[in-house]
Amino acid sequence: KTACATTALFGAGRVACDINEMGFGEYALSIAKQTPFLKDIIENEMAKEGKKVGMSITSKEVLEWPVNAQLPSKGVSREDLMKDLAKWAEIERTKYGKGQVSGTVYHGEKDLYDFIAQIYSLFCLSNPLHPSTFPFVQKMESEVVSMTLNIFQAPTADYCGVTTSGGTESICMAMKAYRDQGYARGIRRPEIIACVTAHAAFDKAANYFGMKLVHIPSDSKHRIDLAKAKKAISRNTVVIVCSAPSYAQGTIDPVEEMADIVSKAESQWGYKIGLHVDCCLGGFLAPFVRLMPEYKLPKFDFSVPQVTSISADTHKYGYSPKGTSVLMFSSNELRRQMYFTAPKWTGGIYATPSMSGSRPGGLIAATWGTMMHMGMEGYMNASRAIMETATIIKEGVSKIPGLEVMGGPELSVVGIRSTNPELNIYAVGAAMGHDGGHEWELNMLQNPACIHICCTYIHKGLGPKFVKEIQESVEHVLANKEKYAKNSTVAIYGTTKVVPPSMVGELSKSFIDALFKLPEPQQADEEAKDGK
């Protein structure tokens, strides 16, 4: 009896533990997947939904062109290839050229990108893995890092950095540095503390590097809850994250206040805790807005002594080509924790600063050229134009009944939610597109339900148009509730509230699968038949 009771208690404890960790929905789904009959039903339904996702991803323009599944037996002439490529580039340019896409394209003026393309063509074969062969790429890369450190107010020459392929790699490599620093202190599973509003790249870093991510709720202004963050610090904490700004609502976490918490925790635990500021989105906007007296930004950079690393994307508001970012550290000792070396490899001593081995020197040269061409004056002018647009949108939206600007965003991102139970904010986002006769492409966000626009230089002058058309969209949705209840985008985001995250994750994987899948012949025929 004692053995049976012990076993029962242990089993009940395991179940309770699993439900607590996974949530009841996920736990029930995991049981269903182990039941043959239910498992087959779930897999069949997921396969159907996955196929729908795959069908929806292929653009109608792409289906008008032949599929190249194999190398041509004879090479195609450059002239013929350039004809197709020029047409494809023009089709894509029309999708963002009117300036109605959220984020995505941060400058948009063709003459700048023609200049960038010229620079890239000069260095398209270069590779910083071979600095003796490409010494000027090494020169430009170190100068990009130095210029970025300067605008983030690095106080001494001890501050340093690297370039990476983008914000996600910058974040991942920063977390890898803190993980290895934790390992050196004997921490077996280092912990990251970050707000739920922090970028998903921190989840990715924790997943890739075997770290634990401790999510902290946001406060009423959609910033990290300082009291809860303080309470979450433990012996395993290696880094605390602040966003400047967050992706969803565009708010800046209280870096100075968090720095005070870090200092006190260091005294308590007896070792240094990292403070990483994620400026990937606002990296080349916030440092210039900081210099404008009409905007009051809280401190977010190395002027706060406890900040130990900052990630900032050059390929957003730095206006360089996609695939470039800068990761900065307060010391070379910390930066070295990010490096990888293989001193015994048969191919020779192998050492790299980040994930990649070979890296495109052309992107580094183009980033350097863009920064030198823009200069302080160019970045100040562009940043002011962006902030003027964002201000018009914030003020205009706040006056529309049923809508609310979220959290008082300080920079270019304006998060918008519905305060009217009869008004579905996702429907408003859909109505701002072709569904409502407009051409905006806004981001649909969740937890809480909202939409946002990330204002860029390409949006200059479009603030009044946005306010007018979102007002029209609100009226349109309220007059057509049944229509939007059936809208696929609205339905998908409504479903995520009740469907277990693992199922949503599986459908997301189907989306990724579709990105690498060639269109099926019958798909093109069906699209043509339907006139899509």
Side-chain angles (χ1 to χ4, degrees):
K1 287 181 180 179
T2 302
C4 288
T6 303
T7 303
L9 280 171
F10 177 76
R14 282 293 303 272
V15 169
C17 220
D18 288 345
I19 291 174
N20 182 55
E21 186 174 331
M22 301 166 65
F24 183 77
E26 286 286 2
Y27 180 74
L29 180 63
S30 69
I31 296 298
K33 284 182 175 179
Q34 295 172 41
T35 307
F37 173 68
L38 294 175
K39 179 174 178 283
D40 291 342
I41 293 174
I42 292 169
E43 288 180 352
N44 287 336
E45 289 303 314
M46 290 294 288
K48 287 179 188 176
E49 293 303 315
K51 189 172 182 181
K52 287 180 187 176
V53 170
M55 293 284 284
S56 67
I57 192 65
T58 305
S59 172
K60 63 180 181 180
E61 296 97 342
V62 171
L63 294 172
E64 295 171 8
W65 299 83
V67 174
N68 303 295
Q70 299 176 348
L71 275 172
S73 56
K74 185 178 179 182
V76 181
S77 71
R78 295 180 185 180
E79 292 77 12
D80 287 344
L81 289 172
M82 288 306 297
K83 282 179 186 177
D84 284 351
L85 290 166
K87 287 178 183 175
W88 297 350
E90 185 55 36
I91 289 169
E92 292 187 349
R93 195 173 292 115
T94 61
K95 291 180 178 289
Y96 66 80
K98 293 180 182 178
Q100 292 180 255
V101 177
S102 175
T104 311
V105 176
Y106 287 79
H107 194 281
E109 292 193 354
K110 190 173 182 297
D111 61 339
L112 175 63
Y113 293 115
D114 286 345
F115 169 64
I116 288 171
Q118 283 182 300
I119 298 173
Y120 186 88
S121 69
L122 294 173
F123 292 89
C124 65
L125 300 180
S126 62
N127 181 357
L129 189 64
H130 307 287
S132 60
T133 307
F134 304 107
F136 288 97
V137 168
Q138 185 272 325
K139 164 186 160 62
M140 289 185 281
E141 183 169 34
S142 60
E143 289 178 1
V144 165
V145 171
S146 179
M147 288 188 279
T148 307
L149 283 164
N150 179 261
I151 66 171
F152 278 89
Q153 302 193 84
T156 71
D158 293 331
Y159 285 67
C160 53
V162 295
T163 67
T164 71
S165 63
T168 293
E169 188 181 10
S170 285
I171 288 169
C172 284
M173 296 317 298
M175 296 305 102
K176 193 264 185 188
Y178 290 113
R179 184 201 68 171
D180 286 8
Q181 191 176 66
Y183 282 171
R185 293 180 186 144
I187 298 173
R188 296 180 65 185
R189 195 182 181 200
E191 294 181 3
I192 305 164
I193 293 177
C195 187
V196 292
T197 58
H199 197 278
F202 291 99
D203 294 80
K204 180 182 280 190
N207 181 275
Y208 280 8
F209 299 131
M211 302 174 77
K212 180 180 178 181
L213 177 58
V214 180
H215 270 135
I216 304 300
S218 58
D219 62 17
S220 60
K221 294 184 178 179
H222 304 285
R223 297 170 176 85
I224 189 168
D225 187 312
L226 291 168
K228 290 188 168 101
K230 180 180 179 180
K231 193 175 179 181
I233 298 172
S234 74
R235 292 184 182 278
N236 294 324
T237 303
V238 293
V239 61
I240 300 176
V241 174
C242 286
S243 301
S246 63
Y247 171 78
Q249 287 84 32
T251 53
I252 296 176
D253 285 330
V255 177
E256 278 192 287
E257 291 87 341
M258 187 61 77
D260 289 338
I261 291 172
V262 167
S263 292
K264 290 172 183 174
E266 287 174 344
S267 298
Q268 178 185 351
W269 297 107
Y271 61 80
K272 193 166 181 62
I273 296 172
L275 178 54
H276 179 83
V277 180
D278 175 25
C279 282
C280 285
L281 178 56
F284 276 73
L285 181 64
F288 302 104
V289 175
R290 173 180 63 80
L291 301 174
M292 300 176 192
E294 62 268 40
Y295 301 105
K296 306 296 182 185
L297 292 189
K299 288 187 176 182
F300 59 88
D301 56 16
F302 287 124
S303 63
V304 180
Q306 289 80 10
V307 171
T308 51
S309 59
I310 300 175
S311 47
D313 287 0
T314 41
H315 68 197
K316 291 188 175 79
Y317 293 104
Y319 310 126
S320 69
K322 289 299 179 188
T324 62
S325 177
V326 176
L327 172 58
M328 297 164 277
F329 294 97
S330 60
S331 71
N332 191 44
E333 179 187 2
L334 181 57
R335 178 175 64 172
R336 281 183 162 214
Q337 299 288 348
M338 179 189 71
Y339 297 165
F340 174 79
T341 62
K344 295 182 179 180
W345 182 43
T346 57
I349 299 170
Y350 180 83
T352 62
S354 55
M355 292 292 287
S356 300
S358 293
R359 293 182 291 132
L363 289 181
I364 292 168
T367 299
W368 180 89
T370 303
M371 293 174 70
M372 292 294 290
H373 175 67
M374 291 294 296
M376 286 294 294
E377 182 182 25
Y379 282 121
M380 286 292 288
N381 290 340
S383 298
R384 184 169 280 108
I386 291 164
M387 290 301 293
E388 287 171 358
T389 300
T391 300
I392 289 170
I393 291 174
K394 281 185 274 190
E395 292 177 352
V397 169
S398 65
K399 295 174 184 175
I400 298 173
L403 295 184
E404 179 182 77
V405 173
M406 303 177 72
E410 292 95 340
L411 289 168
S412 57
V413 175
V414 184
I416 304 166
R417 76 178 188 94
S418 169
T419 57
N420 178 357
E422 299 295 312
L423 180 65
N424 188 315
I425 194 61
Y426 298 135
V428 174
M432 284 290 278
H434 295 297
D435 285 1
H438 303 304
E439 297 181 90
W440 295 93
E441 289 185 28
L442 306 182
N443 298 103
M444 306 285 190
L445 312 171
Q446 59 184 351
N447 304 320
C450 59
I451 59 176
H452 87 193
I453 179 168
C454 175
C455 300
T456 70
Y457 190 67
I458 205 171
H459 294 127
K460 62 179 179 177
L462 293 178
K465 177 181 174 68
F466 181 93
V467 174
K468 175 178 176 290
E469 294 188 356
I470 199 168
Q471 169 76 70
E472 293 171 354
S473 297
V474 167
E475 294 168 0
H476 179 69
V477 169
L478 290 173
N480 296 272
K481 293 177 189 174
E482 290 187 13
K483 170 188 172 182
Y484 284 98
K486 299 175 182 176
N487 181 282
S488 60
T489 300
V490 175
I492 286 170
Y493 275 90
T495 301
T496 61
K497 294 181 180 179
V498 293
V499 174
S502 63
M503 291 187 74
V504 179
E506 284 303 311
L507 285 176
S508 300
K509 290 177 182 178
S510 295
F511 176 88
I512 298 171
D513 288 340
L515 295 174
F516 298 93
K517 188 176 179 183
L518 297 174
E520 297 175 8
Q522 64 266 29
Q523 182 180 347
D525 294 340
E526 287 170 12
E527 295 275 4
K529 199 180 296 180
D530 293 340
K532 292 182 181 177

